[in-house]
Amino acid sequence: MNGVPIYKTIEERVELLRRLNAHYSFVFYLESNEYSDAFGKYEWLIFAGNEPGVQQSSSEVSWDVLSNWSETNAGTFRAGFITYEAGSGQIDKDSIGFPAMFFFEPEFIRGKKRNGTYISKGAEPNNLQKEDKSQAPLPDNNMSFDSIGKNAYLDRFEQIRAHLQRGNIYEVNFCQAFEGNRKQLDPFN
């Protein structure tokens, strides 16, 4: 790829992600974990950029906003995600501010296709050539999670079981949200 690093190993990609995280506001990493199916075209992809295109909370998700932004940026590659809860109104609060929908046009792309070819967009910024060791370590504070509690969970489980036995429902996903009080996490450690 004309002098562009190809990041063959997972360790090389993790190091790249660390350096991208110091340079860009948004960094996505998608990994196939060598799972092969009829639909997957890539073994791994890395996207990075600074400008959000569409970012909405679950209470304000508008599919028209995404559609209009997509039409305005037709012909450009976009990366992003839509959460399961997007537009459902099922989330009362989001204490960490994670959006229900987020898309951006990456300034930096690296990846490997299943056929072995590598893809690249954007030059390697100078500060990505060396490891950035200037970041201060994150505080080692304890994580605490709030949930519905064991007894309340078991009570709800029994209610669901009773509905299943009566035939009121035939399938259910019983989920609970976990929240933590720690706002800064190092995804690499």
Side-chain angles (χ1 to χ4, degrees):
M1 284 190 353
N2 300 331
V4 175
I6 56 176
Y7 308 104
K8 289 183 178 180
T9 67
I10 187 71
E11 292 81 12
E12 290 173 325
R13 292 191 294 276
V14 167
E15 183 55 35
L16 172 64
L17 291 167
R18 285 179 188 267
R19 292 180 282 138
L20 289 171
N21 192 48
H23 184 76
Y24 290 102
S25 300
F26 312 109
V27 179
F28 285 15
Y29 177 53
L30 305 173
E31 170 71 53
S32 72
N33 292 314
E34 299 180 12
Y35 178 77
S36 183
D37 63 26
F39 306 104
K41 296 180 182 178
Y42 297 93
E43 289 189 24
W44 57 269
L45 289 165
I46 296 174
F47 311 106
N50 284 316
E51 296 297 323
V54 173
Q55 182 173 348
Q56 296 184 321
S57 71
S58 63
S59 62
E60 64 182 30
V61 166
S62 166
W63 303 109
D64 290 337
V65 170
L66 179 60
S67 179
N68 292 339
W69 179 76
S70 185
E71 288 173 11
T72 302
N73 295 287
T76 61
F77 187 87
R78 294 162 299 254
F81 62 84
I82 300 172
T83 65
Y84 179 78
E85 297 87 359
S88 69
Q90 296 298 311
I91 298 178
D92 295 330
K93 62 180 180 174
D94 180 5
S95 61
I96 61 172
F98 197 80
M101 180 190 315
F102 180 87
F103 287 87
F104 72 105
E105 183 180 336
E107 300 165 40
F108 181 94
I109 301 173
R110 295 293 183 271
K112 182 181 179 187
K113 293 184 176 183
R114 294 223 184 267
N115 67 9
T117 60
Y118 288 86
I119 63 168
S120 173
K121 174 190 174 188
E124 301 262 331
N126 290 337
N127 72 331
L128 296 183
Q129 299 299 330
K130 299 175 189 159
E131 183 177 355
D132 180 13
K133 299 211 182 238
S134 63
Q135 288 184 332
L138 293 171
D140 188 25
N141 57 354
N142 295 325
M143 293 291 290
S144 67
F145 292 99
D146 297 325
S147 69
I148 62 174
K150 182 178 179 179
N151 291 336
Y153 180 89
L154 292 174
D155 288 343
R156 290 181 189 169
F157 182 83
E158 289 303 322
Q159 290 172 9
I160 291 168
R161 184 191 320 228
H163 281 288
L164 286 165
Q165 289 172 340
R166 286 193 302 266
N168 297 339
I169 55 176
Y170 67 93
E171 181 178 346
V172 67
N173 289 324
F174 178 38
C175 305
Q176 63 178 328
F178 291 96
E179 297 180 9
N181 61 2
R182 184 174 176 178
K183 299 286 184 185
Q184 289 186 324
L185 296 174
D186 182 353
F188 305 108
N189 290 319

